Amino acid sequence: MEKKSRGRQKIAIEKIAKKKSLQVTFSKRRAGLFKKARELSTLCGAEVAVIVESPAGKVFSFGNPSVDSVIHRYETGDFCPQEDSRKKYLYSMEDLEEHKKEKAMGKSNWWEDLCVENLGLEELEESMAAMQVLRNNLLIPNLTLDQFGVL
Amino acid sequence: MEKKSRGRQKIAIEKIAKKKSLQVTFSKRRAGLFKKARELSTLCGAEVAVIVESPAGKVFSFGNPSVDSVIHRYETGDFCPQEDSRKKYLYSMEDLEEHKKEKAMGKSNWWEDLCVENLGLEELEESMAAMQVLRNNLLIPNLTLDQFGVL
DNA sequence: AGATCTATATATAAGTG
DNA sequence: TCACTTATATATAGATC
C-alpha cells in the first residue's frame, strides 16, 4: 500500500534557504518553544521569559509571571532607559475607520486594500514586500526602511 | 523477555510534587528549551532570548545575538541597523527555483511575480503602485523615486 | 496564513551507575 | 548532580486543503 507521506524528515540545523519553508518552520517552532517554556514554568514553578523576533521583525514574547518581571531579575545593575521611545505606528484607528467608510461606498481598489487592510500585525511583512519590489524593480541595492527614519 | 524500563511516562502539566523529580525535570527541560531556542534562531535567522530562573533563584539565559539586544528591541521597539535581521530576508536561489516551479504549475500570483521576477521598464507604473503602498503604509508624506537618485 | 494529516525525528520520564 | 539506557510521548517536516 501507498505511504501517504514520508513523515518528518531530518533537517540540518542551518539557515533554511527557502523562504516559504522558513516561514512555516518559524511559526511551528515558535509555537513549540513557547509551549515548552510554559510547561517548564508550570512543571517546575520556574520564572521564564522568551522573546522572539521573526526575520520580518515581528516580536513575540512569553513570560511567567511576566516578561518584565523576569527581565528585571535578569538585569543587574544600571539599565539605560531608552533615549527614544517615540511610538512608531502606521495607520491610526481614524485611518482605518475612514477606509472602511470609503470601502462601503464602493470606492476601494486593490492596492488601497493591500495598503490599509489587515495591517494589524502583518504590515511589516507587507511593507518589506513592497520594499523588495522597489529594490528589485529599481535596482536599489541596499534600500531599507530605516533609511526613512520611521522604524 | 523482561522490559528494562517502562520508557517515558506521560505526566500532567502541573507542578511536580516530588522535589527530586522537579530538580531533574528542571535541568533536562531547561537544556531542552535552550536547545530549541538555539535551533530556532539558527534555522530561521531569528533573534531569540530566553531567561529562566530556577525555583531556587538561579538565573540561566540564552540569547542570539545576545540577551541584551533582544531585550532592548522588546522594550523599545527600536533596532540598531547593524543588527537588523530584516536585511537577512532576501530571496535565495532556492526561492527563485521554487518560484519557477510554481509558476510552471500554474500556481503563481501577481504579488509573488511582482516581487520575484525581474521587471522591465514598462512595469514602472507598477513600481509607482508599490511606492504608493510604501507611502501609505509608512506615512512618509513626500516619498518620491528621485530621492534615491535613480530617476 | 492557518488547520490537518502522516510518518518519522527528537525529547524526555524513569531507572541505573 | 551528571552520564547513560530504554521505551515511549511529543514535536515537527512535508504535503494537502
Side-chain angles (χ1 to χ4, degrees):
Chain A
M1 74 178 189
E2 300 276 313
K3 286 192 183 180
K4 292 186 182 173
S5 113
R6 292 181 304 149
R8 177 177 177 175
Q9 297 294 289
K10 188 182 181 79
I11 60 167
I13 302 302
E14 59 192 21
K15 174 132 186 185
I16 296 171
K18 284 163 57 175
K19 187 179 164 194
K20 200 171 277 181
S21 301
L22 190 149
Q23 288 272 21
V24 172
T25 294
F26 177 77
S27 293
K28 287 182 177 182
R29 282 180 174 260
R30 171 171 48 80
L33 184 68
F34 285 168
K35 183 178 180 186
K36 290 288 189 186
R38 186 166 40 248
E39 291 183 349
L40 179 62
S41 66
T42 302
L43 287 168
C44 303
E47 303 202 0
V48 179
V50 180
I51 302 171
V52 178
E53 182 183 351
S54 76
K58 283 194 265 181
V59 175
F60 305 84
S61 63
F62 165 82
N64 176 274
S66 77
V67 174
D68 290 333
S69 68
V70 179
I71 287 178
H72 278 119
R73 290 205 186 240
Y74 169 80
E75 294 285 352
T76 63
D78 60 291
F79 179 71
C80 180
Q82 66 279 17
E83 62 254 13
D84 182 7
S85 59
R86 283 174 302 169
K87 183 67 180 169
K88 293 150 186 164
Y89 57 88
L90 308 178
Y91 285 99
S92 64
M93 291 308 291
E94 287 79 5
D95 289 327
L96 298 177
E97 286 303 318
E98 188 69 12
H99 180 257
K100 268 192 213 163
K101 278 185 206 161
E102 293 214 331
K103 184 144 197 204
M105 293 168 64
K107 278 191 185 177
S108 81
N109 59 50
W110 66 266
W111 62 260
E112 255 197 358
D113 293 344
L114 183 66
C115 290
V116 181
E117 290 181 346
N118 275 334
L119 288 183
L121 290 173
E122 277 69 29
E123 76 267 14
L124 199 50
E125 286 181 358
E126 299 278 356
S127 300
M128 284 310 292
M131 184 67 73
Q132 198 123 38
V133 171
L134 266 183
R135 194 190 270 140
N136 287 344
N137 285 357
L138 304 176
L139 303 178
I140 306 168
N142 296 306
L143 180 61
T144 55
L145 292 176
D146 57 323
Q147 290 176 15
F148 306 115
V150 292
L151 286 182
Chain B
M1 73 183 190
E2 297 282 311
K3 288 191 181 178
K4 291 185 182 172
S5 107
R6 291 181 306 150
R8 176 178 178 175
Q9 296 295 289
K10 188 183 182 79
I11 60 167
I13 303 302
E14 57 192 21
K15 177 136 187 181
I16 295 171
K18 285 164 57 178
K19 199 168 186 174
K20 193 160 193 175
S21 300
L22 191 149
Q23 285 280 12
V24 172
T25 293
F26 177 76
S27 291
K28 287 183 175 181
R29 281 180 174 258
R30 170 170 50 79
L33 184 67
F34 285 169
K35 184 178 181 187
K36 290 287 188 186
R38 185 165 42 249
E39 291 184 346
L40 179 62
S41 65
T42 301
L43 287 168
C44 304
E47 304 200 2
V48 179
V50 180
I51 304 171
V52 178
E53 182 181 354
S54 75
K58 193 170 178 180
V59 175
F60 305 84
S61 65
F62 164 82
N64 176 273
S66 76
V67 174
D68 289 333
S69 68
V70 179
I71 287 178
H72 183 73
R73 286 297 300 281
Y74 170 79
E75 293 192 332
T76 68
D78 293 337
F79 62 89
C80 306
Q82 54 269 44
E83 65 183 24
D84 180 5
S85 61
R86 275 168 290 192
K87 287 179 183 171
K88 304 170 197 164
Y89 209 50
L90 301 176
Y91 286 104
S92 65
M93 292 308 291
E94 286 80 358
D95 288 326
L96 298 178
E97 288 303 317
E98 188 74 6
H99 182 256
K100 270 191 212 163
K101 277 187 210 159
E102 296 219 326
K103 185 135 198 215
M105 293 168 65
K107 276 192 185 177
S108 80
N109 60 54
W110 67 270
W111 182 253
E112 264 199 352
D113 293 344
L114 190 62
C115 289
V116 179
E117 292 182 345
N118 276 332
L119 300 179
L121 289 176
E122 64 275 19
E123 276 93 344
L124 198 53
E125 284 185 24
E126 299 198 336
S127 299
M128 289 308 295
M131 183 67 75
Q132 197 105 45
V133 171
L134 260 186
R135 190 192 273 140
N136 287 344
N137 281 357
L138 303 177
L139 299 180
I140 306 166
N142 296 308
L143 179 62
T144 55
L145 292 177
D146 60 345
Q147 289 178 13
F148 307 116
V150 292
L151 283 184

